[in-house]
Amino acid sequence: MASNVSVFLLNVNGQIESAEFPEYDELYCKYCFVYGHDWAPVSGVEEGISQISSKSRTTEQSLVWNFPFEITFKSTNPHGWPQIVVSVYGPDVFGNDVVRGYGAVHMPFTSGRHNRTVPMFVPESSSKLQEFTSWFTGRRPEFTDPKVVAQGEGREVTRVRSQGFLNLSFNVVLKDLKKLGYNSGSTDCQDLPITINPIKNLAKENCQSFRRSPSCL
């Protein structure tokens, strides 16, 4: 019996577990997803904002959110494999909310549980005068669209500074990937039913190469 599979599914659920920002406290985070033209979300939430987290008064200085996310994508092509983009915000000395870090990481390419540590960074002012002005007015340099973090266009002219780390966990299920001739190096859940509810397609462009099985060359 010929297979009539035309798309494969990627189901991801996980948590933005914690962050390490030694110089800052009382931070919260936002997340969103960036993916290619061939991808479409079919269930789940594409954007979210966490609660504010404060550091423990003990020796442990991590900011703990344990903020959950879950999403399912369908696609015909691994090109543009989804990324999660996380932005961290917190108050400055004047009480203004300013960005404390941007970071992005691809969804894992294999089924199972995965942990990722993501280095964070912030844009910097182009001069000392602009740096003082932005500090005094509370308007620090930031991206108008955080999704630019997951893209390459224009990044070569952006000045950034490393600042903090973010810890994420992922539980990944892939379905029908091998039926379309692709091999991710893990067991494909061919017979696992994934219940999905259609939502609006908000596809964005991204670029990521993927290893293809010799059987389909």
Side-chain angles (χ1 to χ4, degrees):
M1 181 176 180
S3 173
N4 58 356
V5 174
S6 60
V7 298
F8 65 86
L9 298 177
L10 169 66
N11 173 261
V12 181
N13 67 76
Q15 290 184 339
I16 303 174
E17 293 184 342
S18 61
E20 298 173 14
F21 287 87
E23 300 178 4
Y24 305 110
D25 198 1
E26 297 184 351
L27 305 182
Y28 66 94
C29 67
K30 300 178 182 179
Y31 76 84
C32 60
F33 294 97
V34 176
Y35 43 87
H37 285 308
D38 295 319
W39 292 77
V42 291
S43 74
V45 180
E46 289 194 68
E47 296 181 345
I49 181 171
S50 75
Q51 74 279 13
I52 296 175
S53 176
S54 298
K55 292 180 180 178
S56 170
R57 298 297 177 247
T58 63
T59 55
E60 180 63 43
Q61 292 296 300
S62 295
L63 295 153
V64 179
W65 290 301
N66 289 330
F67 187 60
F69 59 85
E70 182 174 7
I71 194 165
T72 300
F73 292 96
K74 67 177 180 180
S75 180
T76 58
N77 188 350
H79 180 81
W81 196 272
Q83 299 181 64
I84 183 171
V85 177
V86 183
S87 311
V88 178
Y89 298 85
D92 62 8
V93 293
F94 301 109
N96 302 307
D97 265 2
V98 296
V99 66
R100 294 305 188 190
Y102 293 105
V105 66
H106 282 92
M107 300 291 100
F109 300 108
T110 58
S111 299
R113 180 172 175 80
H114 306 266
N115 294 293
R116 297 287 185 269
T117 298
V118 183
M120 308 295 283
F121 64 89
V122 289
E124 283 198 318
S125 301
S126 58
S127 68
K128 291 295 182 182
L129 177 60
Q130 288 184 343
E131 183 179 352
F132 173 77
T133 303
S134 65
W135 174 83
F136 185 75
T137 60
R139 300 180 64 180
R140 307 294 177 88
E142 62 180 72
F143 298 119
T144 54
D145 183 2
K147 293 182 178 181
V148 72
V149 174
Q151 301 166 350
E153 295 82 359
R155 290 288 302 278
E156 70 277 1
V157 297
T158 305
R159 297 179 60 186
V160 299
R161 171 171 50 88
S162 296
Q163 184 167 279
F165 294 89
L166 194 71
N167 300 307
L168 299 93
S169 64
F170 301 91
N171 296 295
V172 178
V173 175
L174 290 166
K175 179 174 169 59
D176 295 329
L177 189 64
K178 289 185 178 179
K179 288 184 179 179
L180 294 181
Y182 298 102
N183 179 18
S184 67
S186 67
T187 303
D188 191 8
C189 300
Q190 305 284 357
D191 301 319
L192 180 65
I194 300 179
T195 303
I196 55 177
N197 297 314
I199 63 173
K200 186 178 179 182
N201 179 7
L202 300 175
K204 298 290 184 181
E205 183 178 6
N206 184 27
C207 179
Q208 173 64 28
S209 61
F210 201 81
R211 179 159 55 93
R212 193 160 183 171
S213 170
S215 63
C216 61
L217 297 178

